[in-house]
Amino acid sequence: MRFNRMLLSATLVVVALVIQVSVLARLHLPGAVPDLLLLTVLALAMVYGHVSGALIGFGAGLLADLAPPADHAAGRYALVLCVIGYLAGLAKPDTGRLKSATAPMAVVVAAAIGSTLLYAGVGALVGDTAARHVGLVSLLFTAALYDLLLAPFVVPGLMGLARRAENNPLAETGTSAKAADVSSGWLSSGTGLRIGGQRGGLRVKAAKARVARAGRIKGVKRL
């Protein structure tokens, strides 16, 4: 990953995690909790691609596993977000820009349902049966609903910010390339001027040689 990607991703993930723990988790909404961290991973993955999405998802999930008041095994949510980030990165458009909001909203709903199922499945493997007591169907419905309502305020802005940060190096590269072309043009023009001067000097020397030769020929004829 590039340095600007790492810096921006780390900043956004930390901010999302702080808001998630300090604000959204304390709303005490029925069912699931709006997952701002998941939406952040989705937005970055749909700009950077599946490899970066998997790395960002793993790092974000690991921070969530270690942040208080975590009550599950470390690495559980990291695995979930790593898989979700990878799959969301596969939905990245070839042009880098989305033509409509339908595709990202569908990705948000699928990620909300998929992350809840995967989290519950991993929990069942390690002996955590909390999802059974809460109600898996209720968790799926509320997770998809909350994330879908929150997504229009989060995903487009984060994707635009990530695209802007991603395009800066390209702009700098284009500027440096343009400067290189200008400098090479100056060098070429300078070389052309020197060559022109050399050609002019050769022409003067040739003319002088012809004049001297004509003088010698006239002198011979006079003799």
Side-chain angles (χ1 to χ4, degrees), residues 153-165:
F153 303 98
V154 177
V155 175
L158 294 185
M159 291 183 67
L161 184 62
R163 278 197 298 264
R164 182 175 299 178

Side-chain angles (χ1 to χ4, degrees), residues 99-153:
K99 297 181 180 180
S100 66
T102 305
M105 292 301 103
V107 171
V108 168
V109 174
I113 296 175
S115 61
T116 304
L117 289 175
L118 187 58
Y119 186 82
V122 175
L125 292 177
V126 297
D128 185 2
T129 59
R132 297 180 182 178
H133 302 291
V134 176
L136 185 58
V137 177
S138 176
L139 283 177
L140 292 175
F141 177 76
T142 53
L145 178 61
Y146 296 155
D147 291 348
L148 188 60
L149 293 176
L150 187 60
F153 303 98

